[in-house]
Amino acid sequence: DVQMTQSPSYLAASPGESVSISCKASKSINTYLAWYQEKPGKTNKLLIYSGSTLQSGTPSRFSGSGSGTDFTLTIRSLEPEDFAVYYCQQHNEYPWTFGGGTKLELK
Amino acid sequence: QVQLKESGPGLVQPSETLSLTCTVSGFSLTSYSVSWVRQPSGKGPEWMGRMWYDGDTAYNSALKSRLSISRDTSKNQVFLKMNSLQTDDTGTYYCTRDWNNYFDYWGQGVMVTVSS
């Protein structure tokens, strides 16, 4: 199975700042990486798929980059609603696997 | 709009069988696949298996011997059955709409505790 490793596990930031979350795969997954946002009381939200393609409705301050084994989710100019947990998921090969998550907290 | 809702028991005895139902609306099970994903508390999600739009299934090999996914298209429902539950099967179980191997809609999830 492809192991997905996210870092950092926790990240503290303030509104208006920009942050980046890393996701590393144990083998090449081409560009087949998705990012999700988890917030209490809401269903998980798909943000980005295929590495850099924004899902409909995802604000443009979110961007994804990377290929092969190294990927990054960047959020520019944080809004209050962005404080959440973020997960990456490879969709290159069975079984689809997820990272352990990054909790973005308010500083 | 697209919605998925999981239902089932919150508490299961060790060695017993877990049965969950996912009721979907806003899309057809004959056009979209549905996957089950679970998440132990404090850990990342784990993909369990998929019901393809054509009725075929695919399973995570780690769970394949214990897991069965089926559906009733007339009721817009997908079912999960997993036997021989142990305490490390405790977590939140989600059904998701599976589009191109990623998950574009999720249910709210159902918390399942395995305990005597």
Side-chain angles (χ1 to χ4, degrees), chain B residues 1-20:
Chain B
Q1 73 274 29
V2 172
Q3 290 187 318
L4 303 96
K5 185 173 176 60
E6 307 87 350
S7 58
L11 181 65
V12 180
Q13 305 275 346
S15 79
E16 298 282 293
T17 296
L18 172 67
S19 295
L20 297 177

Side-chain angles (χ1 to χ4, degrees), chain A residues 1 34 36 38 41-46 49-50 55 87 89-92 94-101, chain B residues 35 37 39 42-47 50 52 58 60-62 94 98 100-108:
Chain A
D1 298 0
Y36 301 90
E38 176 189 271
K42 297 200 169 186
T43 60
N44 291 350
K45 182 180 179 182
L46 171 68
Y49 60 91
S50 297
Q55 172 71 347
Y87 294 98
Q89 176 237 331
Q90 63 85 14
H91 55 100
N92 184 61
Y94 278 130
W96 324 124
T97 47
F98 291 81
Chain B
S35 273
V37 174
Q39 185 168 14
K43 295 187 177 181
E46 176 185 35
W47 175 75
R50 163 197 269 167
W52 283 90
N60 188 326
S61 57
Y94 299 94
D98 184 335
N100 285 336
N101 310 327
Y102 51 84
F103 313 111
D104 62 351
Y105 289 92
W106 294 62
Q108 290 276 11

Side-chain angles (χ1 to χ4, degrees), chain A residues 21-39:
Chain A
I21 298 169
S22 171
C23 181
K24 294 184 185 293
S26 60
K27 60 187 279 191
S28 176
I29 56 170
N30 300 297
T31 60
Y32 296 115
L33 187 90
W35 290 97
Y36 301 90
Q37 180 189 65
E38 176 189 271
K39 296 173 73 173

